[in-house]
Amino acid sequence: MTDRISLALVGIGKIARDQHIPSVAAGADFDLKAAVSRHGKVEGIENHEDFDAFLASRPAIRAVSLCTPPEVRFDMARKAIAAGHDVLMEKPPATTLGEAEALAELAAKAGVTLFATWHSRFALGVEPAKTWLAGRAIRSISIVWKEDVRRWHPGQAWIWEPGGFGVFDPGINALSILTAIVPGRILVENARLSFPANRRQPIAAEIAMRTFSGAPIVAEFDWRQEGPQTWDITVQTDQSTLRLSSGGAELFIDGIEKSAGPDREYAGIYERFATLIRARESDVDFQPLRLVADAFLCGERLEVEAFED
Amino acid sequence: MTDRISLALVGIGKIARDQHIPSVAAGADFDLKAAVSRHGKVEGIENHEDFDAFLASRPAIRAVSLCTPPEVRFDMARKAIAAGHDVLMEKPPATTLGEAEALAELAAKAGVTLFATWHSRFALGVEPAKTWLAGRAIRSISIVWKEDVRRWHPGQAWIWEPGGFGVFDPGINALSILTAIVPGRILVENARLSFPANRRQPIAAEIAMRTFSGAPIVAEFDWRQEGPQTWDITVQTDQSTLRLSSGGAELFIDGIEKSAGPDREYAGIYERFATLIRARESDVDFQPLRLVADAFLCGERLEVEAFED
């Protein structure tokens, strides 16, 4: 058996408690030694309030997992890399492409592992979907990602601020699956972004893209969906229809369920992080963030009804 | 003497006539063999109306220079690369980062030269400014890029469309100089983009950036400047002040003119293109476009007075 890798978790909020802590505890790869958070605490391990003080006092902790909101992630990642730690970053990796690419360069120079995670890529149906699609001719792709922001992001003001990306916060999950299962680059053709009159980020978006071989892709993101929630990707090939439902958890081929089971997204993330650390490699794929940036860059802006939480 | 490189010019509009044709004619590197344009014609050489027909009929022409508006450039560049030509692209290289990066990959695979030009980088003061700044400690940078859109883009509807980038069309020239003279990555911190009520692209923008070592950079772009036009970059070091004026043509150190002379931007572009072709290399630096995409991605949007041409 391999030794467990010592780990510190930074940013003890909802996603850390719901996903990171239980996944680390259930896995065999990491030993959670410390938590760093201005407000949250984790029982039974050492807790630090200040990130700089943590870095100075605990250089022997090998890996650092950053679960804070994106706007503070760049500075923390930069400092953790400079201190020689291996670093895992929640999605999105940064608030700009420039920051993301700078971190990848710094990690490469420092010889540490950097893992820019996209949790939806570890949903159960994604890997079999990728395998099934390999070598098949894609005719068209439709993405429908519609959820109720009041239900999933209650009171989270940062999602409406610059760097929060609005409806692209969930939408980037769909784009992370899309870029994982479709071979070759995806290109943005145009986009329509709907901004509530009182908000700085879009509440809905339609993005027209294409695969590198020219198959059309249409994505509809909407945060105003009440009732049933939809996170579906449908790929039409020349013979069949592949559908990923429930954010990638369920895979159907021509309507027949091929893959389903309990959620293992964050278990998969930490297994991959351990593999990367042991191989001294990084995984820094910024394609999903680049697609969002390109949608903002070439997108048409519409003003829609004000949104109140 | 080296043989001249056979060249076709694609897109015979204002920039081709004002800059490309005279620069190629005055230089010693290229032999202009053909023009490709749906509307424009060049006297004394063969003219093609259709790009695909040109590619099919004249495979022996080695280099292709694309001076069309950005929205058609990707498809033309892709086809020219696939046909084995060396390709020069006017700025901006594409309407999205995804397209730009895809072209760089295609050119590398095909073993042809791709040159994503930024003409302002060839302004007379830029190279000496870069040399002077190397090794000096930068304290702050101010960019003021204010011009009258009615004077410089009369009736050019594409600048207000997605992919036209609005005031970033001139602004990206400043960003191309900035990224050439400052060592290390530039990061966007935030931005305010002013959209006229009746237009899809910004007419003004303020962008807060920083150098990789943390020095603040403020850029003001405005297309509503009547009277004197301003294209200035001022760099404060710990000892002195460097100023590039007139879009990089004039360099001043502490108010004393160090470099000035007749415009050679496009002469410099074609000399560099010839050097790249002979060395079998590419020059594909998309940093200026990435800064624009990051400004759109994290920027706050303001609505301002409608703009009529």
Side-chain angles (χ1 to χ4, degrees):
Chain A
M1 186 188 147
T2 327
D3 279 350
R4 286 178 184 246
I5 301 161
S6 54
L7 177 78
L9 213 54
V10 183
I12 306 301
K14 183 169 163 50
I15 192 75
R17 292 192 191 285
D18 290 356
Q19 299 287 354
H20 290 260
I21 294 172
S23 298
V24 169
D29 294 308
F30 291 93
D31 188 5
L32 185 58
K33 291 278 194 193
V36 189
S37 185
R38 268 182 294 179
H39 307 294
K41 294 255 178 294
V42 179
E43 294 265 313
I45 56 168
E46 63 181 66
N47 285 272
H48 298 258
E49 285 189 13
D50 184 71
F51 187 69
D52 293 340
F54 156 74
L55 286 182
S57 68
R58 296 294 266 126
I61 290 182
R62 178 149 185 192
V64 169
S65 178
L66 299 177
C67 318
T68 58
E71 72 270 20
V72 295
R73 212 169 280 151
F74 174 75
D75 268 337
M76 287 182 166
R78 193 173 56 150
K79 289 172 178 174
I81 290 166
H85 296 288
D86 296 315
V87 177
L88 177 155
M89 298 192 291
E90 254 294 350
K91 51 110 339 197
T95 58
T96 64
L97 275 168
E99 286 187 348
E101 292 174 8
L103 291 176
E105 275 183 15
L106 289 173
K109 274 189 204 157
V112 303
T113 290
L114 180 64
F115 182 19
T117 65
W118 303 102
H119 63 80
S120 293
R121 287 188 175 173
F122 294 88
L124 272 182
V126 173
E127 197 58 39
K130 178 183 177 175
T131 305
W132 189 86
L133 278 172
R136 284 188 161 85
I138 293 170
R139 288 283 169 83
S140 65
I141 300 176
S142 153
I143 299 173
V144 180
W145 222 253
K146 295 186 176 179
E147 61 174 50
D148 183 351
V149 63
R150 290 188 178 89
R151 188 160 144 197
W152 302 100
H153 292 280
Q156 289 184 297
W158 64 268
I159 57 174
W160 298 109
E161 293 304 310
F165 303 148
V167 76
F168 285 90
D169 178 74
I172 205 169
N173 296 338
L175 300 175
S176 75
I177 295 176
L178 177 73
T179 47
I181 64 175
V182 175
R185 276 180 179 276
I186 307 288
L187 301 172
V188 175
E189 296 206 315
N190 57 65
R192 287 155 59 97
L193 312 178
S194 297
F195 289 77
N198 61 339
R199 301 285 178 169
R200 293 185 181 182
Q201 294 294 320
I203 196 165
E206 289 171 45
I207 310 119
M209 297 171 278
R210 62 179 190 276
T211 66
F212 204 72
S213 51
I217 305 168
V218 175
E220 291 175 72
F221 300 158
D222 204 319
W223 247 351
R224 298 163 300 189
Q225 179 84 347
E226 299 178 4
Q229 309 282 288
T230 308
W231 299 283
D232 284 358
I233 299 178
T234 307
V235 183
Q236 204 69 50
T237 70
D238 44 3
Q239 305 266 332
S240 298
T241 303
L242 175 150
R243 183 159 59 85
L244 279 167
S245 283
S246 304
E250 296 158 15
L251 171 65
F252 299 85
I253 306 290
D254 294 328
I256 298 160
E257 188 167 88
K258 294 291 177 182
S259 163
D263 170 34
R264 294 195 78 257
E265 290 186 18
Y266 281 78
I269 280 180
Y270 278 96
E271 286 164 14
R272 174 108 177 103
F273 189 32
T275 303
L276 290 167
I277 290 174
R278 291 180 178 128
R280 311 307 308 133
E281 287 174 0
S282 285
D283 179 348
V284 284
D285 177 8
F286 303 129
Q287 283 183 88
L289 184 58
R290 204 203 56 231
L291 291 175
V292 176
D294 278 344
F296 274 78
L297 182 63
C298 74
E300 180 183 352
R301 286 154 189 78
L302 310 173
E303 187 173 305
V304 296
E305 200 184 341
F307 174 82
E308 303 301 342
D309 229 337
Chain B
M1 187 190 145
T2 328
D3 279 351
R4 286 177 183 246
I5 301 161
S6 54
L7 177 78
L9 213 52
V10 184
I12 306 302
K14 184 168 163 51
I15 194 73
R17 291 189 192 286
D18 288 357
Q19 299 288 354
H20 290 260
I21 294 172
S23 297
V24 169
D29 294 307
F30 291 93
D31 188 4
L32 185 58
K33 291 279 194 193
V36 188
S37 186
R38 267 182 296 179
H39 306 295
K41 293 254 178 298
V42 179
E43 294 263 312
I45 57 169
E46 63 181 65
N47 285 273
H48 298 257
E49 285 189 12
D50 182 73
F51 187 67
D52 293 340
F54 155 73
L55 286 181
S57 68
R58 295 293 265 124
I61 290 182
R62 178 149 187 193
V64 168
S65 178
L66 300 177
C67 320
T68 58
E71 72 270 20
V72 295
R73 211 170 281 151
F74 174 75
D75 268 336
M76 287 182 166
R78 192 172 58 151
K79 289 174 179 173
I81 290 167
H85 296 288
D86 297 315
V87 176
L88 177 155
M89 298 191 291
E90 253 294 351
K91 52 106 346 195
T95 59
T96 64
L97 275 169
E99 286 187 349
E101 291 174 8
L103 291 175
E105 276 184 15
L106 289 173
K109 274 189 206 157
V112 303
T113 291
L114 179 64
F115 182 20
T117 65
W118 303 102
H119 63 80
S120 292
R121 287 188 175 173
F122 295 87
L124 272 183
V126 173
E127 198 57 37
K130 178 182 178 174
T131 305
W132 189 86
L133 279 172
R136 284 187 162 87
I138 294 171
R139 289 283 170 84
S140 66
I141 301 177
S142 153
I143 300 174
V144 181
W145 222 254
K146 295 185 175 179
E147 60 175 53
D148 183 351
V149 63
R150 290 189 177 88
R151 187 160 144 197
W152 302 100
H153 292 280
Q156 289 183 296
W158 63 269
I159 56 174
W160 296 109
E161 293 304 311
F165 302 147
V167 76
F168 284 89
D169 179 74
I172 206 168
N173 296 337
L175 299 175
S176 75
I177 295 175
L178 177 73
T179 47
I181 65 174
V182 175
R185 275 180 181 277
I186 306 289
L187 300 172
V188 175
E189 297 206 315
N190 56 65
R192 287 156 57 97
L193 313 178
S194 297
F195 289 78
N198 61 339
R199 300 286 178 167
R200 294 184 180 181
Q201 295 293 320
I203 196 165
E206 289 170 47
I207 309 119
M209 298 172 277
R210 63 180 189 278
T211 66
F212 204 71
S213 51
I217 306 168
V218 175
E220 292 175 72
F221 300 159
D222 204 319
W223 247 351
R224 298 164 299 191
Q225 177 85 349
E226 298 179 4
Q229 309 282 291
T230 308
W231 301 282
D232 283 358
I233 298 178
T234 307
V235 183
Q236 205 70 49
T237 70
D238 44 2
Q239 305 266 330
S240 298
T241 304
L242 175 151
R243 184 159 59 84
L244 279 167
S245 283
S246 305
E250 297 159 16
L251 171 64
F252 299 85
I253 306 290
D254 294 328
I256 297 159
E257 186 166 272
K258 294 290 177 183
S259 163
D263 169 36
R264 292 196 78 256
E265 290 186 17
Y266 281 78
I269 280 181
Y270 278 96
E271 286 164 15
R272 175 107 178 104
F273 189 32
T275 302
L276 289 168
I277 290 174
R278 290 180 179 129
R280 310 306 309 135
E281 286 172 3
S282 285
D283 179 348
V284 284
D285 177 7
F286 302 128
Q287 282 185 87
L289 184 58
R290 204 204 57 233
L291 291 174
V292 176
D294 279 343
F296 274 78
L297 182 62
C298 74
E300 179 182 353
R301 287 156 186 78
L302 310 173
E303 187 174 305
V304 297
E305 199 184 342
F307 175 83
E308 303 300 341
D309 228 340

